[in-house]
Amino acid sequence: MRHLLTLAEWSSEEIGKVLELAAHVKAHPGTYSNACDRQTLLMIFEKPSLRTRLSFEAAMTQMGGHAIYYDTSRSPMGAGKESIHDTVKAAGRFVDIIMARLFDHAHLEEMAKHSPVPVINALTNFSHPCQILGDLQTIREKKGRLEGLKLAYVGDSNNNVTHSLLYGAAKVGMDITVGCPDAEAYRPRPHVLEKAKADAAERGSRVELVHDAVEAVRDADVVYTDSWMSYHIPPEEQEKRVKDLMPFQVTAELMAHAKEDAIFMNCLPALRGFEQTAEVIDGRWSVVFDEAENRLHAQKAVILYLLGKV
Ligand code: CP
Ligand code: NVA
């Protein structure tokens, strides 16, 4: 049984197959309108969400199935009265597939280990693979290819989205440069960089870490940033983080160092005046709402693939 925990565990072929399927699902949604007839997706949430919750739920509705939203603050698991093991063993008797948005990635791995049905990572502190599948779909739509492009990610890089971009870019042969302050708090985890570099070497692409925003975005086809205050970061850290990360804010001046036709991406939620200026996210470079939409199509493809329907 396959799960989607991180993109590191998926082969380039699997990622390619799911991206092809996502494009087909988007172009021909009616073909899949009964693909999940009477099937149920359980959606376990420890953290807030707009896009992930709505896109997964809509995906199941549009494919003839159903999704159950389950907030752990109202559950025996969240109250510390039931183990992850017992929770997924019991839940797997009712549903066909599970997705979970959790703080601790190890808890997601534990779910997958004991679950009788496929488990999808809907974001952990460590990674966010569904986001990156939608992002790769978006980049391919806008640029016509993935291989050989340069993606520059700038900002907080000890970050789930950065980690998944590193894994994903390397698997599809895209160059990726990460630009962040030179401090452990903001750098990608070393083992992620190592794995991405190894995968990239196989595809002939490059993975770089730099500590200067202009250097990072130079000649990039895609400039990407993410929140400086991810869901799991305590509010008291905001003042220091804003000060540390401000040199990596995406501004129109910074975009001028990327390619003339570069696109700007942010997985959202975004704060204008923090990780990017309003001029950028609301400007000619921005593809953030197409990016949000592709969560729906890419996740339909993930569900179909994990349920063995393709
Ligand atoms: N990008 C993303 O996962 O958004 P939500 O937190 O709203 O689900
Ligand atoms: N890095 C962000 C992504 C939100 C979708 C967070 O974890 O909050």
Side-chain angles (χ1 to χ4, degrees), residues 97-121:
I97 185 161
I98 295 173
M99 67 85 119
R101 169 167 287 195
L102 306 178
F103 288 93
D104 188 341
H105 192 77
H107 290 171
L108 184 80
E109 290 175 332
E110 199 180 336
M111 270 189 186
K113 187 171 158 200
H114 299 295
S115 174
V117 299
V119 173
I120 300 171
N121 178 354

mmCIF file with all atom_site columns, all heavy atoms in Angstrom, residues 97-121:
data_model
loop_
_atom_site.group_PDB
_atom_site.id
_atom_site.type_symbol
_atom_site.label_atom_id
_atom_site.label_alt_id
_atom_site.label_comp_id
_atom_site.label_asym_id
_atom_site.label_entity_id
_atom_site.label_seq_id
_atom_site.pdbx_PDB_ins_code
_atom_site.Cartn_x
_atom_site.Cartn_y
_atom_site.Cartn_z
_atom_site.occupancy
_atom_site.B_iso_or_equiv
_atom_site.pdbx_formal_charge
_atom_site.auth_seq_id
_atom_site.auth_comp_id
_atom_site.auth_asym_id
_atom_site.auth_atom_id
_atom_site.pdbx_PDB_model_num
ATOM 1   N N   . ILE A 1 97  ? -9.643 6.182  2.866  1.00 0.00 ? 97  ILE A N   1
ATOM 2   C CA  . ILE A 1 97  ? -8.361 6.895  2.764  1.00 0.00 ? 97  ILE A CA  1
ATOM 3   C C   . ILE A 1 97  ? -8.353 7.986  3.845  1.00 0.00 ? 97  ILE A C   1
ATOM 4   O O   . ILE A 1 97  ? -9.423 8.483  4.229  1.00 0.00 ? 97  ILE A O   1
ATOM 5   C CB  . ILE A 1 97  ? -8.174 7.444  1.317  1.00 0.00 ? 97  ILE A CB  1
ATOM 6   C CG1 . ILE A 1 97  ? -6.810 8.088  1.121  1.00 0.00 ? 97  ILE A CG1 1
ATOM 7   C CG2 . ILE A 1 97  ? -9.293 8.364  0.890  1.00 0.00 ? 97  ILE A CG2 1
ATOM 8   C CD1 . ILE A 1 97  ? -6.399 8.224  -0.359 1.00 0.00 ? 97  ILE A CD1 1
ATOM 9   N N   . ILE A 1 98  ? -7.149 8.304  4.334  1.00 0.00 ? 98  ILE A N   1
ATOM 10  C CA  . ILE A 1 98  ? -7.028 9.282  5.435  1.00 0.00 ? 98  ILE A CA  1
ATOM 11  C C   . ILE A 1 98  ? -6.035 10.356 5.029  1.00 0.00 ? 98  ILE A C   1
ATOM 12  O O   . ILE A 1 98  ? -4.991 10.052 4.445  1.00 0.00 ? 98  ILE A O   1
ATOM 13  C CB  . ILE A 1 98  ? -6.503 8.584  6.721  1.00 0.00 ? 98  ILE A CB  1
ATOM 14  C CG1 . ILE A 1 98  ? -7.531 7.565  7.237  1.00 0.00 ? 98  ILE A CG1 1
ATOM 15  C CG2 . ILE A 1 98  ? -6.170 9.605  7.816  1.00 0.00 ? 98  ILE A CG2 1
ATOM 16  C CD1 . ILE A 1 98  ? -7.030 6.706  8.418  1.00 0.00 ? 98  ILE A CD1 1
ATOM 17  N N   . MET A 1 99  ? -6.346 11.601 5.326  1.00 0.00 ? 99  MET A N   1
ATOM 18  C CA  . MET A 1 99  ? -5.329 12.652 5.247  1.00 0.00 ? 99  MET A CA  1
ATOM 19  C C   . MET A 1 99  ? -5.225 13.293 6.614  1.00 0.00 ? 99  MET A C   1
ATOM 20  O O   . MET A 1 99  ? -6.194 13.332 7.368  1.00 0.00 ? 99  MET A O   1
ATOM 21  C CB  . MET A 1 99  ? -5.636 13.657 4.133  1.00 0.00 ? 99  MET A CB  1
ATOM 22  C CG  . MET A 1 99  ? -6.854 14.488 4.347  1.00 0.00 ? 99  MET A CG  1
ATOM 23  S SD  . MET A 1 99  ? -6.480 15.912 5.340  1.00 0.00 ? 99  MET A SD  1
ATOM 24  C CE  . MET A 1 99  ? -6.896 17.189 4.212  1.00 0.00 ? 99  MET A CE  1
ATOM 25  N N   . ALA A 1 100 ? -4.008 13.790 6.942  1.00 0.00 ? 100 ALA A N   1
ATOM 26  C CA  . ALA A 1 100 ? -3.832 14.374 8.271  1.00 0.00 ? 100 ALA A CA  1
ATOM 27  C C   . ALA A 1 100 ? -2.893 15.572 8.211  1.00 0.00 ? 100 ALA A C   1
ATOM 28  O O   . ALA A 1 100 ? -1.862 15.539 7.529  1.00 0.00 ? 100 ALA A O   1
ATOM 29  C CB  . ALA A 1 100 ? -3.276 13.326 9.233  1.00 0.00 ? 100 ALA A CB  1
ATOM 30  N N   . ARG A 1 101 ? -3.293 16.631 8.902  1.00 0.00 ? 101 ARG A N   1
ATOM 31  C CA  . ARG A 1 101 ? -2.446 17.818 9.094  1.00 0.00 ? 101 ARG A CA  1
ATOM 32  C C   . ARG A 1 101 ? -2.054 17.843 10.563 1.00 0.00 ? 101 ARG A C   1
ATOM 33  O O   . ARG A 1 101 ? -2.886 18.133 11.435 1.00 0.00 ? 101 ARG A O   1
ATOM 34  C CB  . ARG A 1 101 ? -3.200 19.086 8.691  1.00 0.00 ? 101 ARG A CB  1
ATOM 35  C CG  . ARG A 1 101 ? -2.488 20.348 9.115  1.00 0.00 ? 101 ARG A CG  1
ATOM 36  C CD  . ARG A 1 101 ? -3.020 21.603 8.482  1.00 0.00 ? 101 ARG A CD  1
ATOM 37  N NE  . ARG A 1 101 ? -2.634 21.691 7.084  1.00 0.00 ? 101 ARG A NE  1
ATOM 38  C CZ  . ARG A 1 101 ? -2.708 22.810 6.356  1.00 0.00 ? 101 ARG A CZ  1
ATOM 39  N NH1 . ARG A 1 101 ? -3.157 23.926 6.887  1.00 0.00 ? 101 ARG A NH1 1
ATOM 40  N NH2 . ARG A 1 101 ? -2.339 22.799 5.090  1.00 0.00 ? 101 ARG A NH2 1
ATOM 41  N N   . LEU A 1 102 ? -0.784 17.514 10.819 1.00 0.00 ? 102 LEU A N   1
ATOM 42  C CA  . LEU A 1 102 ? -0.316 17.336 12.195 1.00 0.00 ? 102 LEU A CA  1
ATOM 43  C C   . LEU A 1 102 ? 0.898  18.215 12.461 1.00 0.00 ? 102 LEU A C   1
ATOM 44  O O   . LEU A 1 102 ? 1.584  18.645 11.532 1.00 0.00 ? 102 LEU A O   1
ATOM 45  C CB  . LEU A 1 102 ? 0.082  15.874 12.426 1.00 0.00 ? 102 LEU A CB  1
ATOM 46  C CG  . LEU A 1 102 ? -0.968 14.804 12.098 1.00 0.00 ? 102 LEU A CG  1
ATOM 47  C CD1 . LEU A 1 102 ? -0.367 13.408 12.337 1.00 0.00 ? 102 LEU A CD1 1
ATOM 48  C CD2 . LEU A 1 102 ? -2.231 14.984 12.916 1.00 0.00 ? 102 LEU A CD2 1
ATOM 49  N N   . PHE A 1 103 ? 1.191  18.439 13.713 1.00 0.00 ? 103 PHE A N   1
ATOM 50  C CA  . PHE A 1 103 ? 2.422  19.156 14.058 1.00 0.00 ? 103 PHE A CA  1
ATOM 51  C C   . PHE A 1 103 ? 3.634  18.264 13.780 1.00 0.00 ? 103 PHE A C   1
ATOM 52  O O   . PHE A 1 103 ? 4.504  18.597 13.001 1.00 0.00 ? 103 PHE A O   1
ATOM 53  C CB  . PHE A 1 103 ? 2.388  19.574 15.540 1.00 0.00 ? 103 PHE A CB  1
ATOM 54  C CG  . PHE A 1 103 ? 1.416  20.695 15.794 1.00 0.00 ? 103 PHE A CG  1
ATOM 55  C CD1 . PHE A 1 103 ? 0.104  20.441 16.184 1.00 0.00 ? 103 PHE A CD1 1
ATOM 56  C CD2 . PHE A 1 103 ? 1.808  22.016 15.617 1.00 0.00 ? 103 PHE A CD2 1
ATOM 57  C CE1 . PHE A 1 103 ? -0.795 21.477 16.393 1.00 0.00 ? 103 PHE A CE1 1
ATOM 58  C CE2 . PHE A 1 103 ? 0.920  23.060 15.827 1.00 0.00 ? 103 PHE A CE2 1
ATOM 59  C CZ  . PHE A 1 103 ? -0.394 22.788 16.223 1.00 0.00 ? 103 PHE A CZ  1
ATOM 60  N N   . ASP A 1 104 ? 3.664  17.113 14.418 1.00 0.00 ? 104 ASP A N   1
ATOM 61  C CA  . ASP A 1 104 ? 4.863  16.284 14.460 1.00 0.00 ? 104 ASP A CA  1
ATOM 62  C C   . ASP A 1 104 ? 4.859  15.268 13.303 1.00 0.00 ? 104 ASP A C   1
ATOM 63  O O   . ASP A 1 104 ? 3.950  14.430 13.205 1.00 0.00 ? 104 ASP A O   1
ATOM 64  C CB  . ASP A 1 104 ? 4.855  15.554 15.823 1.00 0.00 ? 104 ASP A CB  1
ATOM 65  C CG  . ASP A 1 104 ? 6.144  14.815 16.078 1.00 0.00 ? 104 ASP A CG  1
ATOM 66  O OD1 . ASP A 1 104 ? 6.891  14.552 15.119 1.00 0.00 ? 104 ASP A OD1 1
ATOM 67  O OD2 . ASP A 1 104 ? 6.389  14.480 17.260 1.00 0.00 ? 104 ASP A OD2 1
ATOM 68  N N   . HIS A 1 105 ? 5.869  15.345 12.450 1.00 0.00 ? 105 HIS A N   1
ATOM 69  C CA  . HIS A 1 105 ? 5.915  14.430 11.298 1.00 0.00 ? 105 HIS A CA  1
ATOM 70  C C   . HIS A 1 105 ? 5.999  12.965 11.756 1.00 0.00 ? 105 HIS A C   1
ATOM 71  O O   . HIS A 1 105 ? 5.475  12.073 11.081 1.00 0.00 ? 105 HIS A O   1
ATOM 72  C CB  . HIS A 1 105 ? 7.113  14.779 10.400 1.00 0.00 ? 105 HIS A CB  1
ATOM 73  C CG  . HIS A 1 105 ? 7.071  14.107 9.073  1.00 0.00 ? 105 HIS A CG  1
ATOM 74  N ND1 . HIS A 1 105 ? 6.259  14.521 8.041  1.00 0.00 ? 105 HIS A ND1 1
ATOM 75  C CD2 . HIS A 1 105 ? 7.721  13.009 8.618  1.00 0.00 ? 105 HIS A CD2 1
ATOM 76  C CE1 . HIS A 1 105 ? 6.421  13.714 7.007  1.00 0.00 ? 105 HIS A CE1 1
ATOM 77  N NE2 . HIS A 1 105 ? 7.303  12.786 7.327  1.00 0.00 ? 105 HIS A NE2 1
ATOM 78  N N   . ALA A 1 106 ? 6.652  12.737 12.896 1.00 0.00 ? 106 ALA A N   1
ATOM 79  C CA  . ALA A 1 106 ? 6.769  11.356 13.397 1.00 0.00 ? 106 ALA A CA  1
ATOM 80  C C   . ALA A 1 106 ? 5.384  10.780 13.707 1.00 0.00 ? 106 ALA A C   1
ATOM 81  O O   . ALA A 1 106 ? 5.154  9.570  13.552 1.00 0.00 ? 106 ALA A O   1
ATOM 82  C CB  . ALA A 1 106 ? 7.653  11.326 14.640 1.00 0.00 ? 106 ALA A CB  1
ATOM 83  N N   . HIS A 1 107 ? 4.451  11.629 14.098 1.00 0.00 ? 107 HIS A N   1
ATOM 84  C CA  . HIS A 1 107 ? 3.090  11.150 14.364 1.00 0.00 ? 107 HIS A CA  1
ATOM 85  C C   . HIS A 1 107 ? 2.410  10.716 13.063 1.00 0.00 ? 107 HIS A C   1
ATOM 86  O O   . HIS A 1 107 ? 1.641  9.752  13.038 1.00 0.00 ? 107 HIS A O   1
ATOM 87  C CB  . HIS A 1 107 ? 2.270  12.226 15.071 1.00 0.00 ? 107 HIS A CB  1
ATOM 88  C CG  . HIS A 1 107 ? 2.705  12.462 16.487 1.00 0.00 ? 107 HIS A CG  1
ATOM 89  N ND1 . HIS A 1 107 ? 2.238  13.499 17.258 1.00 0.00 ? 107 HIS A ND1 1
ATOM 90  C CD2 . HIS A 1 107 ? 3.583  11.783 17.270 1.00 0.00 ? 107 HIS A CD2 1
ATOM 91  C CE1 . HIS A 1 107 ? 2.805  13.449 18.461 1.00 0.00 ? 107 HIS A CE1 1
ATOM 92  N NE2 . HIS A 1 107 ? 3.631  12.419 18.483 1.00 0.00 ? 107 HIS A NE2 1
ATOM 93  N N   . LEU A 1 108 ? 2.701  11.449 11.989 1.00 0.00 ? 108 LEU A N   1
ATOM 94  C CA  . LEU A 1 108 ? 2.139  11.055 10.690 1.00 0.00 ? 108 LEU A CA  1
ATOM 95  C C   . LEU A 1 108 ? 2.715  9.701  10.252 1.00 0.00 ? 108 LEU A C   1
ATOM 96  O O   . LEU A 1 108 ? 1.993  8.836  9.742  1.00 0.00 ? 108 LEU A O   1
ATOM 97  C CB  . LEU A 1 108 ? 2.460  12.125 9.645  1.00 0.00 ? 108 LEU A CB  1
ATOM 98  C CG  . LEU A 1 108 ? 1.835  11.871 8.280  1.00 0.00 ? 108 LEU A CG  1
ATOM 99  C CD1 . LEU A 1 108 ? 0.365  12.287 8.277  1.00 0.00 ? 108 LEU A CD1 1
ATOM 100 C CD2 . LEU A 1 108 ? 2.589  12.596 7.177  1.00 0.00 ? 108 LEU A CD2 1
ATOM 101 N N   . GLU A 1 109 ? 4.015  9.537  10.470 1.00 0.00 ? 109 GLU A N   1
ATOM 102 C CA  . GLU A 1 109 ? 4.654  8.264  10.104 1.00 0.00 ? 109 GLU A CA  1
ATOM 103 C C   . GLU A 1 109 ? 4.047  7.115  10.915 1.00 0.00 ? 109 GLU A C   1
ATOM 104 O O   . GLU A 1 109 ? 3.843  6.015  10.403 1.00 0.00 ? 109 GLU A O   1
ATOM 105 C CB  . GLU A 1 109 ? 6.163  8.352  10.335 1.00 0.00 ? 109 GLU A CB  1
ATOM 106 C CG  . GLU A 1 109 ? 6.827  9.273  9.336  1.00 0.00 ? 109 GLU A CG  1
ATOM 107 C CD  . GLU A 1 109 ? 8.314  9.501  9.598  1.00 0.00 ? 109 GLU A CD  1
ATOM 108 O OE1 . GLU A 1 109 ? 8.753  9.410  10.766 1.00 0.00 ? 109 GLU A OE1 1
ATOM 109 O OE2 . GLU A 1 109 ? 9.019  9.796  8.636  1.00 0.00 ? 109 GLU A OE2 1
ATOM 110 N N   . GLU A 1 110 ? 3.744  7.416  12.159 1.00 0.00 ? 110 GLU A N   1
ATOM 111 C CA  . GLU A 1 110 ? 3.124  6.386  12.995 1.00 0.00 ? 110 GLU A CA  1
ATOM 112 C C   . GLU A 1 110 ? 1.724  6.032  12.481 1.00 0.00 ? 110 GLU A C   1
ATOM 113 O O   . GLU A 1 110 ? 1.341  4.856  12.434 1.00 0.00 ? 110 GLU A O   1
ATOM 114 C CB  . GLU A 1 110 ? 3.055  6.886  14.445 1.00 0.00 ? 110 GLU A CB  1
ATOM 115 C CG  . GLU A 1 110 ? 2.867  5.770  15.437 1.00 0.00 ? 110 GLU A CG  1
ATOM 116 C CD  . GLU A 1 110 ? 2.798  6.305  16.857 1.00 0.00 ? 110 GLU A CD  1
ATOM 117 O OE1 . GLU A 1 110 ? 3.325  7.398  17.129 1.00 0.00 ? 110 GLU A OE1 1
ATOM 118 O OE2 . GLU A 1 110 ? 2.175  5.609  17.686 1.00 0.00 ? 110 GLU A OE2 1
ATOM 119 N N   . MET A 1 111 ? 0.996  7.062  12.060 1.00 0.00 ? 111 MET A N   1
ATOM 120 C CA  . MET A 1 111 ? -0.335 6.803  11.475 1.00 0.00 ? 111 MET A CA  1
ATOM 121 C C   . MET A 1 111 ? -0.212 5.870  10.275 1.00 0.00 ? 111 MET A C   1
ATOM 122 O O   . MET A 1 111 ? -0.956 4.898  10.150 1.00 0.00 ? 111 MET A O   1
ATOM 123 C CB  . MET A 1 111 ? -0.953 8.119  10.978 1.00 0.00 ? 111 MET A CB  1
ATOM 124 C CG  . MET A 1 111 ? -1.761 8.809  12.010 1.00 0.00 ? 111 MET A CG  1
ATOM 125 S SD  . MET A 1 111 ? -2.652 10.204 11.270 1.00 0.00 ? 111 MET A SD  1
ATOM 126 C CE  . MET A 1 111 ? -3.327 10.840 12.795 1.00 0.00 ? 111 MET A CE  1
ATOM 127 N N   . ALA A 1 112 ? 0.721  6.207  9.395  1.00 0.00 ? 112 ALA A N   1
ATOM 128 C CA  . ALA A 1 112 ? 0.873  5.424  8.162  1.00 0.00 ? 112 ALA A CA  1
ATOM 129 C C   . ALA A 1 112 ? 1.273  3.982  8.491  1.00 0.00 ? 112 ALA A C   1
ATOM 130 O O   . ALA A 1 112 ? 0.813  3.032  7.851  1.00 0.00 ? 112 ALA A O   1
ATOM 131 C CB  . ALA A 1 112 ? 1.898  6.079  7.249  1.00 0.00 ? 112 ALA A CB  1
ATOM 132 N N   . LYS A 1 113 ? 2.106  3.830  9.510  1.00 0.00 ? 113 LYS A N   1
ATOM 133 C CA  . LYS A 1 113 ? 2.584  2.497  9.884  1.00 0.00 ? 113 LYS A CA  1
ATOM 134 C C   . LYS A 1 113 ? 1.425  1.581  10.302 1.00 0.00 ? 113 LYS A C   1
ATOM 135 O O   . LYS A 1 113 ? 1.416  0.390  9.992  1.00 0.00 ? 113 LYS A O   1
ATOM 136 C CB  . LYS A 1 113 ? 3.585  2.655  11.029 1.00 0.00 ? 113 LYS A CB  1
ATOM 137 C CG  . LYS A 1 113 ? 4.287  1.398  11.416 1.00 0.00 ? 113 LYS A CG  1
ATOM 138 C CD  . LYS A 1 113 ? 5.410  1.712  12.392 1.00 0.00 ? 113 LYS A CD  1
ATOM 139 C CE  . LYS A 1 113 ? 5.749  0.472  13.186 1.00 0.00 ? 113 LYS A CE  1
ATOM 140 N NZ  . LYS A 1 113 ? 6.444  0.785  14.422 1.00 0.00 ? 113 LYS A NZ  1
ATOM 141 N N   . HIS A 1 114 ? 0.457  2.148  10.984 1.00 0.00 ? 114 HIS A N   1
ATOM 142 C CA  . HIS A 1 114 ? -0.626 1.319  11.532 1.00 0.00 ? 114 HIS A CA  1
ATOM 143 C C   . HIS A 1 114 ? -1.915 1.374  10.724 1.00 0.00 ? 114 HIS A C   1
ATOM 144 O O   . HIS A 1 114 ? -2.842 0.619  10.993 1.00 0.00 ? 114 HIS A O   1
ATOM 145 C CB  . HIS A 1 114 ? -0.919 1.738  12.976 1.00 0.00 ? 114 HIS A CB  1
ATOM 146 C CG  . HIS A 1 114 ? 0.271  1.566  13.869 1.00 0.00 ? 114 HIS A CG  1
ATOM 147 N ND1 . HIS A 1 114 ? 0.798  0.326  14.150 1.00 0.00 ? 114 HIS A ND1 1
ATOM 148 C CD2 . HIS A 1 114 ? 1.056  2.461  14.500 1.00 0.00 ? 114 HIS A CD2 1
ATOM 149 C CE1 . HIS A 1 114 ? 1.851  0.466  14.936 1.00 0.00 ? 114 HIS A CE1 1
ATOM 150 N NE2 . HIS A 1 114 ? 2.037  1.749  15.159 1.00 0.00 ? 114 HIS A NE2 1
ATOM 151 N N   . SER A 1 115 ? -1.979 2.294  9.757  1.00 0.00 ? 115 SER A N   1
ATOM 152 C CA  . SER A 1 115 ? -3.249 2.484  9.060  1.00 0.00 ? 115 SER A CA  1
ATOM 153 C C   . SER A 1 115 ? -3.521 1.359  8.066  1.00 0.00 ? 115 SER A C   1
ATOM 154 O O   . SER A 1 115 ? -2.644 0.994  7.280  1.00 0.00 ? 115 SER A O   1
ATOM 155 C CB  . SER A 1 115 ? -3.232 3.820  8.309  1.00 0.00 ? 115 SER A CB  1
ATOM 156 O OG  . SER A 1 115 ? -4.399 3.927  7.539  1.00 0.00 ? 115 SER A OG  1
ATOM 157 N N   . PRO A 1 116 ? -4.754 0.847  8.052  1.00 0.00 ? 116 PRO A N   1
ATOM 158 C CA  . PRO A 1 116 ? -5.113 -0.153 7.041  1.00 0.00 ? 116 PRO A CA  1
ATOM 159 C C   . PRO A 1 116 ? -5.453 0.477  5.688  1.00 0.00 ? 116 PRO A C   1
ATOM 160 O O   . PRO A 1 116 ? -5.708 -0.256 4.732  1.00 0.00 ? 116 PRO A O   1
ATOM 161 C CB  . PRO A 1 116 ? -6.350 -0.833 7.652  1.00 0.00 ? 116 PRO A CB  1
ATOM 162 C CG  . PRO A 1 116 ? -6.943 0.169  8.583  1.00 0.00 ? 116 PRO A CG  1
ATOM 163 C CD  . PRO A 1 116 ? -5.835 1.076  9.044  1.00 0.00 ? 116 PRO A CD  1
ATOM 164 N N   . VAL A 1 117 ? -5.479 1.816  5.613  1.00 0.00 ? 117 VAL A N   1
ATOM 165 C CA  . VAL A 1 117 ? -5.792 2.499  4.344  1.00 0.00 ? 117 VAL A CA  1
ATOM 166 C C   . VAL A 1 117 ? -4.702 3.540  4.069  1.00 0.00 ? 117 VAL A C   1
ATOM 167 O O   . VAL A 1 117 ? -3.961 3.924  4.991  1.00 0.00 ? 117 VAL A O   1
ATOM 168 C CB  . VAL A 1 117 ? -7.196 3.178  4.400  1.00 0.00 ? 117 VAL A CB  1
ATOM 169 C CG1 . VAL A 1 117 ? -8.299 2.147  4.631  1.00 0.00 ? 117 VAL A CG1 1
ATOM 170 C CG2 . VAL A 1 117 ? -7.247 4.275  5.475  1.00 0.00 ? 117 VAL A CG2 1
ATOM 171 N N   . PRO A 1 118 ? -4.591 4.020  2.812  1.00 0.00 ? 118 PRO A N   1
ATOM 172 C CA  . PRO A 1 118 ? -3.530 4.989  2.497  1.00 0.00 ? 118 PRO A CA  1
ATOM 173 C C   . PRO A 1 118 ? -3.642 6.279  3.320  1.00 0.00 ? 118 PRO A C   1
ATOM 174 O O   . PRO A 1 118 ? -4.750 6.733  3.628  1.00 0.00 ? 118 PRO A O   1
ATOM 175 C CB  . PRO A 1 118 ? -3.754 5.285  1.003  1.00 0.00 ? 118 PRO A CB  1
ATOM 176 C CG  . PRO A 1 118 ? -4.488 4.106  0.479  1.00 0.00 ? 118 PRO A CG  1
ATOM 177 C CD  . PRO A 1 118 ? -5.355 3.625  1.606  1.00 0.00 ? 118 PRO A CD  1
ATOM 178 N N   . VAL A 1 119 ? -2.486 6.850  3.648  1.00 0.00 ? 119 VAL A N   1
ATOM 179 C CA  . VAL A 1 119 ? -2.420 8.086  4.439  1.00 0.00 ? 119 VAL A CA  1
ATOM 180 C C   . VAL A 1 119 ? -1.729 9.175  3.605  1.00 0.00 ? 119 VAL A C   1
ATOM 181 O O   . VAL A 1 119 ? -0.679 8.927  2.998  1.00 0.00 ? 119 VAL A O   1
ATOM 182 C CB  . VAL A 1 119 ? -1.645 7.854  5.750  1.00 0.00 ? 119 VAL A CB  1
ATOM 183 C CG1 . VAL A 1 119 ? -1.410 9.169  6.496  1.00 0.00 ? 119 VAL A CG1 1
ATOM 184 C CG2 . VAL A 1 119 ? -2.400 6.870  6.650  1.00 0.00 ? 119 VAL A CG2 1
ATOM 185 N N   . ILE A 1 120 ? -2.320 10.362 3.612  1.00 0.00 ? 120 ILE A N   1
ATOM 186 C CA  . ILE A 1 120 ? -1.773 11.516 2.872  1.00 0.00 ? 120 ILE A CA  1
ATOM 187 C C   . ILE A 1 120 ? -1.337 12.583 3.874  1.00 0.00 ? 120 ILE A C   1
ATOM 188 O O   . ILE A 1 120 ? -2.097 12.936 4.784  1.00 0.00 ? 120 ILE A O   1
ATOM 189 C CB  . ILE A 1 120 ? -2.853 12.119 1.941  1.00 0.00 ? 120 ILE A CB  1
ATOM 190 C CG1 . ILE A 1 120 ? -3.338 11.089 0.915  1.00 0.00 ? 120 ILE A CG1 1
ATOM 191 C CG2 . ILE A 1 120 ? -2.334 13.373 1.251  1.00 0.00 ? 120 ILE A CG2 1
ATOM 192 C CD1 . ILE A 1 120 ? -4.562 11.556 0.116  1.00 0.00 ? 120 ILE A CD1 1
ATOM 193 N N   . ASN A 1 121 ? -0.152 13.119 3.670  1.00 0.00 ? 121 ASN A N   1
ATOM 194 C CA  . ASN A 1 121 ? 0.352  14.228 4.479  1.00 0.00 ? 121 ASN A CA  1
ATOM 195 C C   . ASN A 1 121 ? -0.308 15.528 4.016  1.00 0.00 ? 121 ASN A C   1
ATOM 196 O O   . ASN A 1 121 ? -0.051 16.000 2.908  1.00 0.00 ? 121 ASN A O   1
ATOM 197 C CB  . ASN A 1 121 ? 1.878  14.313 4.302  1.00 0.00 ? 121 ASN A CB  1
ATOM 198 C CG  . ASN A 1 121 ? 2.499  15.466 5.079  1.00 0.00 ? 121 ASN A CG  1
ATOM 199 O OD1 . ASN A 1 121 ? 1.806  16.277 5.672  1.00 0.00 ? 121 ASN A OD1 1
ATOM 200 N ND2 . ASN A 1 121 ? 3.827  15.514 5.067  1.00 0.00 ? 121 ASN A ND2 1
#
